[in-house]
Amino acid sequence: MDNRPYSAHDEIRRTLSTAYRASGFNGTTHELQYLMSWRDICNLGLGASPTLRGEAGHSLKSAIAYTLAHDDRDSHTVPTRGSLVKLSTELAGLLGDVRFAKTQFEMQTNQRIGESEYILSTGVQGGLLWSFGQSGRSPLADRFFLGGQTSVRGFEFRGIGPRDHNDSVGGDVFYAAGVSLLTPLPYVKTPALKGHLWANAGQLALLDNRGLLRKPARGSLPVDEIRRFFMRPSVAAGFGLVYQHSIVRVELSCCLPLVAATTDRPKPGLQFGLGVQFL
């Protein structure tokens, strides 16, 4: 994995996993997984930050993960109705040298407006990573990252959250929310191509003395940092086009970042996205 566009390093992963999946009531699915993953943060660039240099080297993760999901959408890429609820939990530390608990959730609803061809979609995501290691700091390879066309539009890939010099270092806690309106296009006969109006917001932080648990400045309280985290998300809005391919979703958006932190990398103008799951 080449991370150089947003962080001066490469990451090598070798993973062995096995999983059991079962269907439950009313379309609910359960998945239990065990995985062992060897990771190497390597090939640091000359401009690599002190944080990145401190994370360099090998780590071995042994973890059990459980995922609960309910998905009744009519499409995974450009849904017009239905909802998704997904909750995943991971516990690492049975073997290996990293120890943490990680949980992440995702919710999405899609609804046609009356009898029209306008589709209103809303989505919410969040996650928490808590390290049990002696340093109290989570491994870089397991942190959350935020920003980009399939995440929070209007920002560079991994362009939201903590940064040391030019390196995105990820975070231990995040939230993101978005709302979008798909519209029919005049003179366009294919239903695969639609107009797209959207707005999204999100925030990402570390849970250590570099982030939400840092020592408060004189005259401030420990809760002030947490209040800023929830009350001052990075925000962007825009419009564009969405094309529904048979297996992927293609977006071309004109983005206008509205609110950004000093460590964020906003990306105004055109942004291209290709993927399956979008906020």
Side-chain angles (χ1 to χ4, degrees):
M1 184 186 299
D2 185 1
N3 294 315
R4 296 187 182 278
Y6 45 86
S7 194
H9 74 286
D10 294 333
E11 182 178 333
I12 300 173
R13 293 183 182 229
R14 299 288 186 268
T15 301
L16 179 66
S17 66
T18 183
Y20 172 76
R21 187 176 184 181
S23 298
F25 176 73
N26 199 23
T28 300
T29 60
H30 306 266
E31 182 177 274
L32 184 63
Q33 181 185 40
Y34 172 78
L35 61 91
M36 181 170 285
S37 180
W38 172 81
R39 297 86 58 85
D40 186 16
I41 305 296
C42 58
N43 300 331
L44 301 187
L46 294 177
S49 64
T51 297
L52 195 55
R53 294 184 182 277
E55 296 279 356
H58 306 264
S59 65
L60 180 64
K61 178 175 76 170
S62 173
I64 293 177
Y66 170 72
T67 301
L68 171 68
H70 176 79
D71 187 357
D72 61 4
R73 298 173 298 171
D74 58 350
S75 169
H76 293 297
T77 55
V78 188
T80 62
R81 60 176 176 81
S83 61
L84 167 70
V85 178
K86 186 176 181 180
L87 175 66
S88 60
T89 301
E90 181 181 4
L91 182 62
L94 301 177
L95 298 171
D97 54 9
V98 294
R99 294 171 176 80
F100 64 81
K102 184 178 183 179
T103 186
Q104 188 171 355
F105 75 89
E106 178 181 358
M107 293 186 293
Q108 184 188 101
T109 63
N110 307 276
Q111 182 177 345
R112 189 182 301 273
I113 300 178
E115 300 298 325
S116 71
E117 295 299 317
Y118 291 82
I119 310 299
L120 180 65
S121 299
T122 59
V124 178
Q125 300 175 4
L128 175 65
L129 170 63
W130 188 263
S131 175
F132 303 134
Q134 293 181 352
S135 68
R137 295 186 174 184
S138 59
L140 174 67
D142 298 296
R143 290 179 193 150
F144 301 109
F145 291 88
L146 203 60
Q149 183 68 10
T150 61
S151 175
V152 178
R153 304 174 185 87
F155 295 85
E156 293 183 4
F157 182 63
R158 297 191 176 188
I160 294 177
R163 187 174 297 274
D164 190 354
H165 293 75
N166 291 322
D167 295 327
S168 172
V169 298
D172 302 320
V173 58
F174 86 96
Y175 66 88
V179 59
S180 66
L181 180 67
L182 296 178
T183 70
L185 295 171
Y187 311 112
V188 175
K189 295 182 179 180
T190 173
L193 183 63
K194 299 179 183 296
H196 188 209
L197 304 173
W198 56 267
N200 52 202
Q203 188 59 279
L204 175 73
L206 290 163
L207 284 177
D208 56 30
N209 55 13
R210 300 168 294 176
L212 296 184
L213 302 183
R214 68 162 58 99
K215 185 177 179 180
R218 171 178 272 181
S220 63
L221 300 173
V223 296
D224 291 342
E225 196 71 29
I226 299 175
R227 184 182 297 112
R228 280 192 292 268
F229 173 76
F230 286 106
M231 300 303 294
R232 297 181 185 177
S234 302
V235 183
F239 62 92
L241 298 172
V242 170
Y243 179 75
Q244 183 179 11
H245 188 265
S246 58
I247 57 175
V248 296
R249 169 174 172 151
V250 184
E251 284 192 5
L252 181 63
S253 297
C254 182
C255 306
L256 177 62
L258 301 175
V259 180
T262 56
T263 57
D264 290 345
R265 295 287 179 86
K267 189 177 181 180
L270 292 179
Q271 195 172 32
F272 175 79
L274 178 69
V276 176
Q277 194 70 33
F278 286 72
L279 178 64

